[in-house]
Amino acid sequence: GQNIDQPTEMTATEGAIVQINCTYQTSGFNGLFWYQQHAGEAPTFLSYNVLDGLEEKGRFSSFLSRSKGYSYLLLKELQMKDSASYLCAVRDLGEGGGNKLTFGTGTQLKVEL
Amino acid sequence: GAGVSQSPSNKVTEKGKDVELRCDPISGHTALYWYRQSLGQGLEFLIYFQGNSAPDKSGLPSDRFSAERTGGSVSTLTIQRTQQEDSAVYLCASSATSGSLETQYFGPGTRLLVL
């Protein structure tokens, strides 16, 4: 089965750095994705990791350790608009070769002044 | 071109009625996925299409749920005899292929409320 855990809520200050952790126990693994979802909107792709290590994309970085079943999303220079839910998702090969995503429940980040 | 679009944005129905939810994927995307997001729950995989065929239906919760895709483009998710527990946001995603490096892009979802 699939089990993905991430904190329910986090609060951080504008301009600061925040790290959102995700741990997973899955029967298969073909990459880990991070999505951002503002209330009432579609999840938007942020980053993905297939191999161990750090991937950096501007203010966002994501880290993966496959041996530990662990990832984190790092957000730097926080802005008010970063207040959103951050979804951790593990990709696995499904039946017929499709890449199905299994999501955690999301971490609601609140950025304060 | 445009992103993934879904219609209707919101749907309120009575228990026992049938509903149809529509997804228009990004033009040229061959892979299409349906997910469901219930309150307080993570997104839950429902079904995957490659072209017009659905090789993975493993996430459909019951035989009241079905989906089809025509012309390798538009997909319709049908829920028959709706129940209150079907209330959720139904999200559609598409990707260029089903290859291992492909990213899924999501539509805005249809918010379904079953009274």
Side-chain angles (χ1 to χ4, degrees):
Chain A
Q2 316 285 66
N3 187 38
I4 299 173
D5 289 314
Q6 49 182 133
T8 304
E9 298 178 332
M10 297 184 72
T11 301
T13 305
E14 187 179 34
I17 299 172
V18 69
Q19 178 175 314
I20 302 174
N21 296 323
C22 172
T23 58
Y24 63 91
Q25 294 175 311
T26 58
S27 56
F29 182 85
N30 193 29
L32 189 140
F33 285 69
W34 285 95
Y35 282 82
Q36 179 191 61
Q37 187 178 27
H38 286 98
E41 298 182 9
T44 55
F45 168 74
L46 289 178
S47 71
Y48 79 91
N49 298 70
V50 177
L51 301 176
D52 291 352
L54 188 68
E55 293 285 339
E56 297 187 74
K57 291 180 68 175
R59 295 191 299 115
F60 297 87
S61 302
S62 58
F63 171 84
L64 175 67
S65 169
R66 288 172 297 171
S67 62
K68 296 181 179 179
Y70 168 68
S71 173
Y72 67 71
L73 179 69
L74 194 70
L75 292 76
K76 304 175 184 176
E77 302 169 11
L78 281 173
Q79 302 174 10
M80 298 298 289
K81 67 179 182 179
D82 297 330
S83 294
S85 182
Y86 290 85
L87 311 178
C88 172
V90 171
R91 182 172 59 188
D92 189 13
L93 276 177
E95 299 171 20
N99 285 290
K100 55 198 282 186
L101 294 174
T102 300
F103 285 84
T105 54
T107 297
Q108 187 65 44
L109 174 66
K110 181 179 181 182
V111 181
E112 299 178 327
L113 292 172
Chain B
V4 179
S5 61
Q6 294 185 244
S7 61
S9 304
N10 295 279
K11 177 71 176 179
V12 180
T13 190
E14 294 179 348
K15 178 182 173 181
K17 300 285 189 184
D18 297 352
V19 295
E20 285 190 352
L21 312 179
R22 176 188 169 107
C23 171
D24 281 89
I26 293 172
S27 178
H29 279 194
T30 61
L32 186 148
Y33 302 80
W34 282 97
Y35 293 85
R36 177 169 73 172
Q37 188 173 31
S38 303
L39 191 63
Q41 303 293 318
L43 275 78
E44 172 191 15
F45 168 81
L46 297 177
I47 187 170
Y48 152 67
F49 285 92
Q50 179 58 42
N52 290 336
S53 64
D56 190 348
K57 304 177 182 179
S58 61
L60 294 178
S62 76
D63 59 7
R64 296 186 295 105
F65 288 72
S66 63
E68 65 175 12
R69 189 179 185 195
T70 55
S73 180
V74 172
S75 176
T76 303
L77 177 70
T78 302
I79 309 173
Q80 295 178 309
R81 305 181 302 281
T82 53
Q83 303 294 313
Q84 289 181 332
E85 61 262 29
D86 298 336
S87 297
V89 178
Y90 289 83
L91 290 154
C92 173
S94 70
S95 64
T97 70
S98 60
S100 62
L101 297 182
E102 289 298 334
T103 298
Q104 294 179 29
Y105 296 92
F106 284 83
T110 294
R111 284 150 193 79
L112 175 66
L113 177 61
V114 182
L115 301 176

